[in-house]
């Protein structure tokens, strides 16, 4: 907001260069309030998101870690004065070494984690969207108790992620969890959920689906309510069945909302840290680790390896950027302007 | 919402009606089940929680709650969390609303890149970039202070909220802005007095989202806060999870206590959730 008081452009501009400044000035006069409104956000994002990003990219080409980050090693001598000498193992530029080590599997299990991440993201988003769409369609009809159902179904959204992670870990506990108690009540042997890769991943997916469906449901329900009811009435007069109305009116009408929530949902799920970290903890033996949690453990357990963490960060960001570019391109091909 | 289109009901066959309500009841049970189970467990003593026998109530007691409330720094953490969440909410609403409005109404240079930037910020693996952010906070002298948390939470919440509010502002007719301009309102006054009051549902959702972001976050809190009397509730209560011997009975009670305030905010916001989240409600 302080930009408002910025002094006006000097009245005498040297001849010959007047075209550009005056265009700038007109642009400024026309848009200063829009810029003033977005300025605080831009500054905060620049400092806390983009500076770390560029620093992260730079660090991924070095070998900086907790042990070699200081430029000088200082030791106190007996007399109390400090003697400093240069750190012989000071961090340095190493080029693409980090990327090579990560991609060849020398550190961590990049390809395995990526595979798990893809399965995890696909299954979670498909379930979120499918269940969300189903529930939204049901809630969009007039019926008794609709308000109550809606409140109950949205409730998981209000639960902080780490609490739901804890709640489901509690339910899937091998000795006294609700899941095994129910299984043995119907005569099935209790399952040691975290001993097998797939059951372990299953518990995390259940948790995340439970946590994520309300958002999808609410977004899609909102989208459905913007579809004009005349369309449905006209279709009914033409004798369209419920399925035909759903396919030909509801789904196309939801397209803009769906495209956005699927993209956001994919990004959020891909980077969903707390669920995997707290529910499966990567068990068994790191096999249910996704990229973010695997990278976190690889880089921060033991000596904190900042450059390695940055390398993973850059790789994850690149995957998501590539995905969203292709996603948008695919949409544009179908004539969707978004 | 409940007053739209009544006539549909009479045409539904009893079987369909049974299926519809049956499915919704089942889904609702799944939705509240885990919360209810934790709530029930929190009222049991430790040995009853750790038995494999399935019971709803057993030796009901409030001892877990009284331990969590008195045996820890709970009141202090609660207050810290309220402060952090309230500031995140207030500042978050203000910034996302102004930004969302500017992006929705003015075709200024830099508008499309800004929208892209909002999307890209969502792609950041926070867990991994937490160290560079820590360095910046340290340089600004903000480590172990609440502003560090508030700022960090704003960077998580504001891009999505601005995006969402932009969608909602798009659905408010611009003719209102023009009318206000004719009445002599400047762009800020138009925004503040005309458009923002109409966007109440979306503001309610923003409030809910920003509050929840700040309330339940653990990663930043554990990185930036170092002394016990500055912990937020979510982080403080994590202390019940020692690596090998989690104290389930206290954890359940703590989980309920953390969730309650979030549930309260949810209760006030839920009426607006559907119309506010989507660039929807033509009525506003």
């Amino acid at each position: 907001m302080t930009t408002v008081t910025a002094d006006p452009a000097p009245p005498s501009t040297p001849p010959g260069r007047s075209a550009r400044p005056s265009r700038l000035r007109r642009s400024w006069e026309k848009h200063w309030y829009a810029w003033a409104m977005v300025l605080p956000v831009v500054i905060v994002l620049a400092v806390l998101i983009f500076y770390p990003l560029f620093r992260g990219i730079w660090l991924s080409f070095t070998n900086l870690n907790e042990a070699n980050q200081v430029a000088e090693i200082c030791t106190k001598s007996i007399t109390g004065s400090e003697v400093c000498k240069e750190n012989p193992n000071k961090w340095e530029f190493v080029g693409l070494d980090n990327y090579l080590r990560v991609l060849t599997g020398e550190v961590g299990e990049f390809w395995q984690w990526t595979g798990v991440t893809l399965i995890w993201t696909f299954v979670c988003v498909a379930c979120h969207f499918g269940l969300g769409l189903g529930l939204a369609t049901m809630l969009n009809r007039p019926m008794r108790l609709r308000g109550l159902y809606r409140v109950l179904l949205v409730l998981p959204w209000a639960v902080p992620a780490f609490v739901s992670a804890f709640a489901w870990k509690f339910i899937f506990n091998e000795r006294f969890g609700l899941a095994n108690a129910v299984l043995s009540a119907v005569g099935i042997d209790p399952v040691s959920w975290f001993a097998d890769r797939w059951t372990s991943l299953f518990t995390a997916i259940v948790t995340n689906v439970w946590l994520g469906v309300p958002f999808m449901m609410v977004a899609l329900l909102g989208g459905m309510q913007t579809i004009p009811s005349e369309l449905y009435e006209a279709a009914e007069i033409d004798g369209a069945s419920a399925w035909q109305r759903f396919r030909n009116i509801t789904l196309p009408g939801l397209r803009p909302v769906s495209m956005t929530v699927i993209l956001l949902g994919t990004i959020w799920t891909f980077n969903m840290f707390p669920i995997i970290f707290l529910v499966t903890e990567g068990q068994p033996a790191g096999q249910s680790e996704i990229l973010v949690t695997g990278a976190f453990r690889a880089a921060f357990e033991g000596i904190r390896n900042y450059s390695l963490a940055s390398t993973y960060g850059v790789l994850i960001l690149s995957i998501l950027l590539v995905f969203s570019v292709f996603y948008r391109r695919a949409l544009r091909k179908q004539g969707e302007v978004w | 919402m409940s007053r739209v289109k009544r006539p549909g009901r009479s045409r539904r066959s009893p079987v369909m009606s049974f299926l519809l309500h049956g499915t919704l009841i089942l889904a609702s049970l799944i939705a509240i089940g885990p919360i209810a189970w934790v709530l029930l467990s929190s009222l049991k003593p430790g040995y009853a929680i750790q038995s494999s026998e399935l019971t709803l109530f057993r030796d009901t007691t409030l001892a877990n709650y009284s331990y969590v409330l008195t045996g820890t720094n709970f009141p202090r953490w609660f207050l810290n969390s309220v402060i952090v969440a309230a500031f995140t909410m207030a500042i978050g609403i203000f910034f996302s609303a102004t930004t969302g409005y500017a992006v929705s109404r003015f075709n200024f240079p830099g508008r499309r890149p800004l929208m892209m930037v909002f999307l890209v910020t969502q792609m950041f693996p926070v867990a991994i970039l937490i160290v560079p952010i820590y360095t910046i906070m340290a340089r600004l002298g903000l480590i172990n202070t609440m502003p560090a948390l508030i700022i960090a939470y704003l960077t998580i919440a504001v891009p999505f909220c601005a995006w969402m509010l932009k969608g909602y502002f798009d659905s408010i007719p611009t003719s209102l802005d023009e009318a206000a301009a004719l009445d002599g309102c400047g762009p800020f006054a138009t925004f503040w007095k005309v458009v923002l009051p109409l966007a109440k549902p979306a503001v309610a959702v923003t409030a809910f989202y920003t509050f929840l972001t700040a309330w339940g976050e653990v990663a930043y809190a554990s990185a930036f806060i170092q002394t016990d009397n500055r912990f937020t509730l979510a982080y403080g209560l994590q202390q019940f999870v020692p690596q090998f011997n989690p104290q389930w009975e206290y954890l359940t009670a703590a989980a309920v206590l953390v969730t309650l305030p979030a549930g309260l905010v949810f209760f006030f916001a839920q009426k607006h959730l559907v119309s506010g989240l989507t660039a929807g409600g033509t009525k506003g």
Side-chain angles (χ1 to χ4, degrees):
Chain A
M1 304 280 157
T2 48
T3 43
V4 180
T5 55
D7 43 15
S12 60
T13 39
R17 286 176 50 202
S18 63
R20 233 183 99 74
S22 86
R23 223 187 75 216
L24 260 181
R25 199 174 141 190
R26 246 185 299 136
S27 177
W28 169 255
E29 269 162 17
K30 200 165 150 226
H31 299 298
W32 69 267
Y33 44 85
W35 283 328
M37 278 177 158
V38 299
L39 188 68
V41 175
V42 170
I43 292 175
V44 172
L45 289 183
V47 173
L48 281 186
I49 301 275
F50 286 91
Y51 173 73
L53 172 67
F54 290 114
R55 194 176 150 76
I57 293 174
W58 156 243
L59 284 183
S60 71
F61 296 110
T62 70
N63 64 357
L64 179 76
N65 64 31
E66 205 173 22
N68 64 11
Q69 58 182 336
V70 285
E72 290 181 322
I73 299 177
C74 296
T75 39
K76 276 221 170 95
S77 66
I78 317 161
T79 53
S81 64
E82 274 196 350
V83 184
C84 290
K85 58 176 184 206
E86 203 166 315
N87 183 350
N89 299 318
K90 196 170 158 297
W91 61 281
E92 58 193 0
F93 183 81
V94 294
L96 288 170
D97 271 16
N98 285 319
Y99 291 94
L100 283 176
R101 284 170 63 213
V102 167
L103 294 177
T104 55
E106 197 188 317
V107 283
E109 300 283 345
F110 180 81
W111 298 104
Q112 184 194 313
W113 294 339
T114 308
V116 176
T117 310
L118 292 180
I119 297 170
W120 151 263
T121 308
F122 181 78
V123 174
C124 283
V125 174
C127 290
H128 282 160
F129 188 74
L131 291 173
L133 184 64
L135 291 171
T137 314
M138 285 192 251
L139 283 179
N140 198 32
R141 295 145 169 256
M143 67 172 125
R144 254 180 239 125
L145 299 177
R146 188 160 82 154
L148 179 67
Y149 287 137
R150 209 175 62 198
V151 172
L152 293 179
L153 288 172
V154 183
L155 205 57
W157 194 7
V159 181
F162 83 95
V163 172
S164 18
F166 154 72
W168 283 96
K169 197 168 174 55
F170 183 60
I171 286 170
F172 282 115
N173 188 293
E174 276 148 42
R175 279 190 304 118
F176 51 85
L178 185 61
N180 276 345
V182 170
L183 281 185
S184 45
V186 294
I188 301 171
D189 283 339
V191 180
S192 15
W193 298 101
F194 301 108
D196 176 77
R197 180 179 180 185
W198 299 110
T199 53
S200 182
L201 199 57
F202 172 79
T203 62
I205 289 175
V206 168
T207 310
N208 196 39
V209 168
W210 182 81
L211 194 68
V213 163
F215 171 78
M216 285 284 187
M217 188 187 81
V218 167
L220 293 172
L221 194 54
M224 282 177 191
Q225 291 181 349
T226 62
I227 301 174
S229 56
E230 294 87 52
L231 289 179
Y232 290 101
E233 284 155 21
E236 235 171 296
I237 292 167
D238 291 345
S241 68
W243 171 247
Q244 282 172 324
R245 277 176 310 203
F246 178 74
R247 271 222 54 182
N248 298 318
I249 301 175
T250 312
L251 284 185
L254 282 181
R255 263 194 76 115
V257 179
S258 314
M259 292 310 141
T260 312
V261 291
I262 288 177
L263 179 61
L264 274 177
T266 306
I267 294 170
W268 285 342
T269 311
F270 197 96
N271 280 337
M272 185 50 115
F273 185 79
I275 301 299
I276 296 280
F277 193 75
L278 296 172
V279 176
T280 77
E281 301 171 33
Q283 290 166 334
Q287 287 184 31
S288 65
E289 211 82 87
I290 59 171
L291 266 178
V292 258
T293 59
F296 183 82
R297 274 188 238 270
F300 291 141
E301 270 176 9
I303 293 177
R304 293 176 161 234
N305 194 331
Y306 305 136
S307 54
L308 193 62
S310 303
T311 310
Y312 277 111
V314 172
L315 286 170
I316 290 170
L317 188 65
S318 318
I319 296 175
L320 286 172
L321 277 175
V322 168
F323 166 77
S324 57
V325 165
F326 276 102
Y327 186 83
R328 278 168 59 96
R329 191 167 295 168
L331 287 189
R332 211 173 295 151
K333 230 173 240 167
Q334 294 168 26
E336 196 75 41
V337 272
W338 166 74
Chain B
M1 300 293 146
S2 55
R3 50 193 143 69
V4 281
K5 292 195 288 181
R6 285 268 147 182
R9 186 189 289 170
S10 53
R11 280 183 288 100
R12 190 156 30 221
S13 69
V15 180
M16 278 305 286
S17 194
F18 176 77
L19 281 178
L20 183 66
H21 282 277
T23 317
L24 285 173
I25 289 170
L26 182 71
S28 304
L29 284 178
I30 294 173
I32 56 170
I35 311 169
W37 180 245
V38 170
L39 179 65
L40 287 175
S41 301
S42 70
L43 298 170
K44 297 175 193 167
Y47 61 85
I49 288 180
Q50 308 227 0
S51 91
S52 53
E53 221 176 305
L54 188 59
T55 46
L56 290 185
F57 295 99
R58 193 162 143 199
D59 306 331
T60 303
T61 166
L62 288 175
N64 301 332
Y65 287 95
S66 68
Y67 174 80
V68 173
L69 287 172
T70 57
T72 68
N73 214 345
F74 187 90
R76 178 78 222 190
W77 297 342
F78 187 87
L79 184 69
N80 291 344
S81 269
V82 169
I83 293 172
V84 170
F87 273 97
T88 309
M89 194 161 112
I91 304 173
I93 291 173
F94 181 75
F95 280 175
S96 354
T98 49
T99 310
Y101 182 73
V103 174
S104 162
R105 288 299 147 94
F106 309 124
N107 196 10
F108 58 96
R111 175 174 164 271
R112 286 192 65 81
L114 190 62
M115 292 292 285
M116 286 312 298
V117 162
F118 287 162
L119 188 67
V120 174
T121 59
Q122 302 292 305
M123 299 178 188
F124 268 65
V126 167
I128 290 162
L129 290 177
I130 207 162
V131 173
I133 298 179
Y134 180 92
T135 321
I136 295 169
M137 290 293 182
R139 212 167 290 162
L140 295 172
L142 288 176
I143 291 302
N144 205 19
T145 65
M146 286 180 199
L149 288 183
I150 296 170
I151 295 170
Y153 297 157
L154 284 174
T155 62
I156 306 177
V158 165
F160 172 70
C161 290
W163 179 298
M164 181 176 69
L165 280 163
K166 183 236 171 221
Y168 199 86
F169 290 142
D170 282 348
S171 75
I172 297 173
T174 46
S175 52
L176 288 174
D177 300 40
E178 286 150 19
L182 282 183
D183 288 347
C185 285
F188 293 113
T190 307
F191 162 69
W192 195 246
K193 290 188 191 146
V194 180
V195 178
L196 201 56
L198 284 174
K200 228 168 83 187
V203 172
V205 183
T206 308
F208 175 60
Y209 191 88
T210 45
F211 179 89
L212 212 61
T213 303
W215 191 258
E217 206 278 343
V218 181
Y220 280 131
S222 63
F224 297 159
I225 301 298
Q226 290 150 348
T227 53
D228 187 81
N229 63 350
R230 299 263 174 89
F231 285 174
T232 60
L233 199 51
Y235 179 46
L237 294 180
Q238 288 274 302
Q239 293 175 331
F240 292 114
V241 208
Q243 203 71 45
F244 297 108
N245 185 24
Q247 295 164 291
W248 293 100
E249 64 272 28
Y250 302 137
L251 261 172
T252 50
V256 172
L257 289 171
V258 175
T259 310
L260 275 181
L264 201 68
V265 175
F266 166 74
F267 180 77
F268 287 112
Q270 56 92 9
K271 215 172 57 197
H272 300 296
L273 278 182
V274 171
S275 56
L277 185 63
T278 320
T282 37
K283 295 187 299 277

